Amino acid sequence: MSAFSDQLLRLREEGNLRSLPEIVHEGKHVLKDGRRMLNLSSNDYLGLASEPEMMRRFMSDAAESCRNGVPEDLLLSSSSSRLLTGTFGVHSLVEQALCRLSGREAALVFSSGYHMNEGILPAIADSSSVILADKLVHASIIDGMRLSQAKSVRYRHQDMSQLDALAAKYSKECERTIIVTESIFSMDGDVSDLRTLVEIKKRYPGVMLYVDEAHAAGVCGKTGMGVAEEQCVINDIDFLCGTFGKALASAGAYLLCDKEIREFLVNRMRPLIFTTAIPPFNMLWTLKVLESLADMRERRERLAGNAAKIRSAVRVCGLECPSGSHIVPIMAGESHRAIALAEKMQKSGFYLLPVRPPTVPEGTSRLRVSLTAAVTGEETDRFIATLKELL
Ligand SMILES: *Cc1c(COP(=O)(O)O)cnc(C)c1O
């Protein structure tokens, strides 16, 4: 047997073999194997992709504009890297909109959040730097640490006193210390205390703060600028990152920073320099969403209300629930248990998927409820009733 088939067999035995689901999307539902289920596994947090009225209007306006040719901001390819001919007016407009919305002086957009995290860290951290990262940061951040020349140290999840001690130690030994974390964690749904992180950063010399708001951008804050807006620290975070592929129903990612850092990355960040820029058409849609973001308060409130109901129901069932957001883990423990529970939920019409190692630590397999604003209060209640029955 080849090494590959050996490993595949082992994954199957452990209940950790993965495959790409074949599903059909129908608004907020998915169709799979003849079943129609409410999609509780997508990151379309504001419901903009599954209730595509805004998208329909955008595309019909676009079709209208293409009657006599394709204007540059509707092209489906940028045909080049941002540094060559791939920067279109609309890329700059998106960056300007981000600056306007956040009040920060510079913004830079990337092809994806993965590229962003995998590229920024190696660019900014050299061998005289140390990266202090939360134990549960996303794989893209881990890969960025692996690619960088810096020493990397992981601190216990959300353990601010351990982080403080590490920052004290390394700020003496290293020229640059970079604290890296997420504002809402993808698998536990817990919300970071950014104010304390900012205090720690300011307490020691040469410390910078890097926060990934992938799950909070669009969802949190009065105007949708994330947990940083909610906690009033937008200006205190050196690298404030977000993605367009989740709540913003588009593709790509962004960094808010100061002008010098932006210029440095344009010169040094390989996944920015050596990849084809996001297509203008997609950027134009991102711009549209950004311009409407402040007005989506009702969606944010509906999402927060339904999420709170689900969190308390999970706790009533006796399960540990670290979440403080619209991402709610339902802890199952072993992978086989998570698979069985997911299957039962799917039979009852709710499309939940098991999340297993290596995405989460061994023994913490779970279902990850990823709630969206497209889900109504009535659907939330029905979901809770089913959950209580099956747990
Ligand atoms: C989804 C995610 C990313 C990756 O973003 P993409 O645009 O999907 O590549 C990065 N960081 C975190 C925390 C994420 O959840």
Side-chain angles (χ1 to χ4, degrees), residues 72-83 85-92 94-95 108-113 115 243-245 250-254 271-272 275-287:
E72 71 154 16
D73 57 5
L74 293 177
L75 288 170
L76 294 171
S77 175
S78 65
S79 306
S80 168
S81 156
R82 293 268 330 251
L83 280 84
T85 63
T87 296
F88 287 67
V90 68
H91 291 87
S92 309
V94 165
E95 290 173 349
L108 189 56
V109 299
F110 310 103
S111 305
S112 76
H115 270 137
T243 58
F244 298 135
S250 187
Y254 66 87
L272 172 75
T275 197
T276 302
I278 289 240
F281 186 70
N282 229 305
M283 275 286 128
L284 189 64
W285 165 245
T286 302
L287 183 63

Side-chain angles (χ1 to χ4, degrees), residues 12-16 314 317-320 329-346 352-357 362-368 387-391:
R12 186 184 297 279
E13 282 166 5
E14 294 165 353
N16 289 334
V314 168
C317 291
L319 293 182
E320 189 203 336
I330 299 171
M331 297 295 180
E334 291 315 307
S335 296
H336 291 291
R337 268 201 74 204
I339 294 169
L341 186 58
E343 180 59 28
K344 283 195 236 164
M345 289 305 296
Q346 291 185 17
L352 286 181
L353 294 168
V355 181
R356 297 163 280 174
E362 282 296 335
T364 70
S365 288
R366 65 196 67 183
L367 305 192
R368 175 179 180 270
L387 192 64
K388 285 184 171 164
E389 225 168 84
L390 293 178
L391 274 177

Side-chain angles (χ1 to χ4, degrees), residues 39-331:
N39 188 355
L40 294 176
S41 295
S42 101
N43 301 322
D44 176 33
Y45 301 134
L46 289 174
L48 299 178
S50 52
E51 291 179 330
E53 177 50 26
M54 187 176 162
M55 235 177 244
R56 189 195 62 73
R57 269 184 278 130
F58 172 76
M59 286 195 264
S60 107
D61 289 351
E64 188 64 29
S65 313
C66 287
R67 284 185 169 214
N68 301 309
V70 182
E72 71 154 16
D73 57 5
L74 293 177
L75 288 170
L76 294 171
S77 175
S78 65
S79 306
S80 168
S81 156
R82 293 268 330 251
L83 280 84
L84 300 174
T85 63
T87 296
F88 287 67
V90 68
H91 291 87
S92 309
L93 287 176
V94 165
E95 290 173 349
Q96 285 161 23
L98 286 163
C99 289
R100 208 167 47 242
L101 288 166
S102 65
R104 293 293 298 257
E105 68 175 25
L108 189 56
V109 299
F110 310 103
S111 305
S112 76
Y114 187 90
H115 270 137
M116 171 178 73
N117 288 328
E118 184 226 26
I120 296 177
L121 288 171
I124 60 171
D126 59 16
S127 57
S128 62
S129 313
V130 64
I131 299 171
L132 305 178
D134 187 284
K135 186 74 191 154
L136 295 189
V137 291
H138 190 261
S140 54
I141 296 175
I142 295 172
D143 290 357
M145 291 194 287
R146 285 185 182 150
L147 284 171
S148 88
Q149 300 291 314
K151 176 182 174 69
S152 47
V153 179
R154 311 289 291 278
Y155 59 92
R156 283 186 296 275
H157 181 52
Q158 302 282 30
D159 187 336
M160 293 296 109
S161 55
Q162 188 192 15
L163 175 62
D164 187 86
L166 290 169
K169 171 177 151 71
Y170 285 106
S171 62
K172 279 196 213 103
E173 293 173 13
C174 302
E175 267 172 43
R176 181 176 298 147
T177 304
I178 304 161
I179 299 173
V180 186
T181 192
E182 293 172 27
S183 64
I184 293 180
F185 277 82
S186 9
M187 295 300 143
D188 284 6
D190 56 328
V191 184
S192 295
D193 175 0
L194 298 182
R195 288 192 183 169
T196 299
L197 284 154
V198 167
E199 276 170 28
I200 294 174
K201 159 201 138 77
K202 289 184 174 170
R203 196 169 293 148
Y204 307 102
V207 181
M208 302 182 98
L209 181 57
Y210 183 118
V211 178
D212 183 343
E213 296 239 52
H215 299 281
V219 175
C220 298
K222 207 169 144 226
T223 70
M225 290 313 286
V227 176
E229 180 185 19
E230 208 165 77
Q231 300 186 6
C232 304
V233 289
I234 288 188
N235 291 313
D236 301 303
I237 296 168
D238 304 276
F239 301 88
L240 186 53
C241 305
T243 58
F244 298 135
K246 290 171 175 146
L248 277 73
S250 187
Y254 66 87
L255 168 71
L256 298 167
C257 57
D258 65 30
K259 282 185 177 156
E260 189 179 78
I261 286 174
R262 183 182 188 277
E263 187 176 8
F264 184 78
L265 291 173
V266 166
N267 284 277
R268 281 284 178 268
M269 181 177 158
R270 295 169 65 87
L272 172 75
I273 300 171
F274 296 106
T275 197
T276 302
I278 289 240
F281 186 70
N282 229 305
M283 275 286 128
L284 189 64
W285 165 245
T286 302
L287 183 63
K288 196 103 198 144
V289 176
L290 282 174
E291 285 169 348
S292 317
L293 203 57
D295 297 330
M296 294 187 188
R297 214 165 153 180
E298 199 187 308
R299 285 176 185 267
R300 284 189 280 276
E301 284 168 4
R302 187 184 326 143
L303 178 62
N306 288 336
K309 278 206 254 176
I310 293 178
R311 290 196 304 269
S312 65
V314 168
R315 289 187 185 117
V316 166
C317 291
L319 293 182
E320 189 203 336
C321 181
S323 171
S325 69
H326 55 290
I327 298 169
V328 187
I330 299 171
M331 297 295 180

